[in-house]
Amino acid sequence: MVERRGRVGGRLAVAAVRPGTGAAAVRGGGLFVTASVVKVDLVAALLVQRGGGAGGLTAGERELAEAAIVRSDNSAASELYRRVGGAPGLDAAYRALGLVETTAGRDGYWGLTTTGVGDRVRLLRQVFAADGALPGRRWLAGLMGRVVPEQAWGVSAAGATGLKNGWLPRSATGLWVVGSFGALADGTLVAVLSDGWREMAQGVAAVETAARWAVAAVGTVGAVGAVGTVGRGDRTGGGS
């Protein structure tokens, strides 16, 4: 799959899936920096390592997880990154969770983890779908349902009630990374990743437009099917 470029210069990929039906809507592709989206990964990795769900975590670890997801606290994320064993521990968790295109950020830079929308949906399925195998998935889903109101943009525009967003101005370019992924009450999973925006607001608007498109599109596919899929070597034009 290849990159999708918007009218204002951003790059964007989006995927929505309705588990159990085969219905999917996808546009764009490629790998993106996660920014704070990875905080869900950090908590998931800790749950994988500890086993036993939320009850397998210490009270302090549960507090760190809540701070990282609900308030997007960076210090809490840094401590979670340390506790899961840094990049090697996070990468091992990705393998255990069946994520195939995500690589942990090195040397403490957890926000520079790279991922694709396919893996974002795979992780959402582990957390929200009835067949998800992540220990403590309902507890983590609950944290994603309590994101503070000022951070509840992105896929919430398409109806997601449990979500996590990420936003980051890249020091090398000054351009913004903006991403969002989450689940709707009907079980639909949606993920949007983007970068290259001159302003964060441009990225947020593009992410929300893409999320609305994907969720609406997956609802029109029917019991089984896919729409808007971009194959390797294909390109899409226009905005987000």
Side-chain angles (χ1 to χ4, degrees):
M1 301 178 77
V2 297
E3 301 171 358
R4 183 174 189 239
R5 296 193 178 275
R7 285 188 293 269
V8 294
R11 184 174 68 107
L12 182 145
V14 56
V17 171
R18 187 167 293 167
T21 68
V26 182
R27 281 185 179 171
L31 299 179
F32 296 79
V33 166
T34 58
S36 287
V37 162
V38 79
K39 290 168 182 172
V40 174
D41 307 35
L42 293 169
V43 176
L46 195 66
L47 288 168
V48 167
Q49 291 180 358
R50 298 291 192 269
L57 307 182
T58 68
E61 287 169 341
R62 291 193 296 272
E63 290 175 2
L64 288 169
E66 179 176 355
I69 303 299
V70 177
R71 302 194 303 277
S72 202
D73 185 272
N74 288 335
S75 296
S78 293
E79 178 59 20
L80 288 171
Y81 180 87
R82 186 190 70 79
R83 292 195 183 205
V84 301
L90 190 52
D91 281 336
Y94 288 142
R95 292 191 293 272
L97 291 167
L99 306 190
V100 298
E101 56 184 358
T102 306
T103 303
R106 307 340 253 184
D107 302 321
Y109 291 101
W110 43 263
L112 298 185
T113 296
T114 56
T115 193
V117 289
D119 265 6
R120 292 300 92 194
V121 170
R122 291 181 187 98
L123 181 56
L124 288 172
R125 184 163 190 154
Q126 293 280 8
V127 177
F128 288 96
D131 61 355
L134 177 69
R137 66 178 186 85
R138 290 185 178 86
W139 173 73
L140 176 51
L143 294 181
M144 294 175 70
R146 293 170 47 207
V147 169
V148 293
E150 59 268 28
Q151 295 178 18
W153 43 265
V155 295
S156 63
T161 55
L163 70 152
K164 183 68 188 80
N165 298 328
W167 59 100
L168 174 71
R170 296 300 303 273
S171 58
T173 64
L175 300 176
W176 284 84
V177 170
V178 181
S180 181
F181 77 143
L184 279 67
D186 68 0
T188 300
L189 311 175
V190 58
V192 191
L193 300 171
S194 76
D195 61 21
W197 306 107
R198 293 191 299 269
E199 298 176 1
M200 179 181 168
Q202 292 176 326
V204 171
V207 164
E208 293 184 341
T209 297
R212 285 191 291 264
W213 168 83
V215 169
V218 83
T220 67
V221 174
V224 179
V227 298
T229 301
V230 181
R232 188 175 299 278
D234 296 334
R235 291 190 179 274
T236 60
S240 301

